[in-house]
Amino acid sequence: MVSILAAIAGASYWDARRESEAAFQDFAGEQTTLARAVAASGLAHPAGEAAQGDAALLAGLRSIERERSLVLLARRAGDARLRTTSGGVVTSPAISDALDRGLPAVRIPRDEAPSFGLPRRTAVAGLARAGAWDVVAVATAERQRDREFWARRRSLLSVFTAAGLVLAFGGLAMRTQRQELVLERELALEAARRARDERLERASRAAVMGTLAMGVAHEISTPLGVIAARAEQVAARAQDGADDRLRTSAQAILSQIDRIKQVIGGLLGLARGDAPTAERIDPTRVIDEAVGLTEHRFGKSRVRLRREVDANLPAVLGDPRLLEHAVVNLLLNACDASRPDDEVTVRARRVDADVEIAVEDAGAGISPADVGRALEPFFTTKPRGQGHGLGLAVAQEIVSSHRGTLALAPRAPRGTRAAIRLPPAEGAARG
């Protein structure tokens, strides 16, 4: 802003100086023309004695003068004195030097002007030579000074006007900027409030899930103990009877009981805020386990399950049972949303620096309005009695505890895509 005002002031000052100098040059030209005209008319006087010639010339000059505005002087060549029309004598070094040098005009300082009977203002003398006489027309530059004075006032007025406009626009810009800063501050505060509310909501969801997990663990611990005991008895009898099929079934039951205990233990740890175990996990293994656990469900529903896993995927860090459980939940949701003969695809690939495990179905699809709520506990679009709204919420908590993200999106023309993104083991180790 300061630079703009300085540029405007400099341009105005330069314009005023240029106009003033042009006015003085025009005025000097006028006095030179007048002096030459007077000198030319003086030559027309008949020659006579010197005194008569001087008197005639001075008398002719007196009729042209204007009081306190224009004075005419004359001198004979070689004489340093200047004669006035009243017969007086004045000296002016500036005029004498200009006449000797043959200059057409010269500027008279303001302190010297009163000696010619002019106001104390800068004056201009026009010079001309005619034969033996030098004629000088000295005029006050009062009008030119007035023009310069008004030019300066116009310059100052333009500077002040421009400064006012610049300040007005600058103030408007600063006001707009201040409003933008206030708006940004309000948006930042609103974002902070939303983040705080999300943390509180997440803490509330974790508390709900923790309470639910502890209740479930408590309620199923006794039935699991009974099932485990019976399975061990069956396995012992199958061993004694050399029934391999029965023994394999009993071992499968015991393995799944152990798996249930691990999953429940992991969920209880999440509810307490504990970090999951940090094992190096092959994503292919996670998908294989999840597919093995859910393929009977797909077979029963007559939904095809396709597996696409890129080779050489980097390992991730975490609890393999919990991650398998998260993928299982996504697969079960996709199976429930599909119709007979539909196809569900589970993919694993590298996306940017992360590992992505995505489950895609061709069902009815999730609506944009439900995307934001689908990860909330107890939210479900399934008919009553067919879902409790905890599968995706549990999967979300598991993925978040592994420093990953879970995102849902509708597919075109129909269906839903659920994608888990996890950092590779190297990135997780550095974090």
Side-chain angles (χ1 to χ4, degrees), residues 84 96 133 138 140 187 221 264 320 325 417:
T84 66
S96 298
W133 286 97
V138 184
T140 180
L187 291 175
S221 59
I264 292 177
H325 187 66
R417 185 176 192 271

Side-chain angles (χ1 to χ4, degrees), residues 327-339:
V327 178
V328 164
N329 282 343
L330 298 185
L331 289 171
L332 293 179
N333 272 357
C335 182
D336 292 340
S338 301
R339 298 165 301 182

